[in-house]
Amino acid sequence: MMTTRNKITRRLAVITVLLFFSFTNGFTEKYTSKFDSIDIDEILNNERLLKNYMNCLMERGPCTTEGSDLKRILPEALELDCAKCTDIQKEKANKVIMYLAKNKKPMWKELEEKYDTDGKYRIKYREKYGVDLENI
């Protein structure tokens, strides 16, 4: 027969193991890095390429492999504050956000209407980075 102390010790051991696995899985699961080498400046400075990505994200046109992957993971990346993004992906995402909000306001507004209907990600971005995307 198991004593109360043994039951508590066993439960603590199980909880510890579960927490360990949940934390380590959370920290190691990242989006694929196979597209980290994409030249984001080339896309941002090429109106045709930028428009093609925009049409893909807005479901108005075909998607490249990269565009399809971006469209698939974008809602989750926004929801999780890019927790699964590599450092390079986070850097590039911030660059794209700042560029579009500052230089391509109609595109930015359209993306916000589709992917941030209630404005919660805009607020989160302002709180995290101190940048008000409305007033760039």
Side-chain angles (χ1 to χ4, degrees):
M1 181 172 251
M2 226 183 214
T3 67
T4 304
R5 186 175 182 185
N6 286 345
K7 287 180 185 178
I8 292 171
T9 303
R10 187 174 181 178
R11 286 183 184 148
L12 283 173
V14 170
I15 290 169
T16 302
V17 169
L18 289 173
L19 285 172
F20 173 77
F21 282 113
S22 68
F23 281 123
T24 56
N25 285 341
F27 288 125
T28 57
E29 186 181 346
K30 296 282 186 191
Y31 297 127
T32 181
S33 62
K34 68 181 178 179
F35 301 119
D36 284 7
S37 62
I38 290 175
D39 184 352
I40 203 70
D41 291 319
E42 179 184 2
I43 295 168
L44 294 176
N45 293 311
N46 183 316
E47 198 65 34
R48 182 187 58 79
L49 286 175
L50 186 58
K51 186 176 179 181
N52 286 344
Y53 275 97
M54 181 69 176
N55 286 339
C56 166
L57 291 173
M58 299 306 294
E59 300 177 13
R60 291 190 300 247
C63 296
T64 62
T65 302
E66 298 89 352
S68 292
D69 284 346
L70 176 60
K71 186 169 68 171
R72 180 179 47 80
I73 67 169
L74 186 57
E76 180 185 69
L78 288 169
E79 184 65 35
L80 299 178
D81 198 24
C82 222
K84 293 182 178 182
C85 296
T86 65
D87 289 341
I88 292 170
Q89 290 164 353
K90 288 177 185 178
E91 180 183 312
K92 289 181 179 189
N94 287 332
K95 186 173 194 165
V96 169
I97 289 168
M98 295 301 293
Y99 178 84
L100 292 177
K102 185 176 183 180
N103 301 301
K104 301 290 184 181
K105 287 193 186 288
M107 281 184 179
W108 178 248
K109 289 294 180 192
E110 200 173 356
L111 287 168
E112 275 189 317
E113 288 172 15
K114 180 173 176 95
Y115 292 99
D116 192 16
T117 54
D118 57 4
K120 69 181 180 182
Y121 304 125
R122 184 179 340 116
I123 293 166
K124 192 186 297 188
Y125 198 85
R126 182 177 58 231
E127 290 170 354
K128 185 173 183 177
Y129 298 103
V131 176
D132 184 359
L133 296 173
E134 290 290 320
N135 299 311
I136 291 182

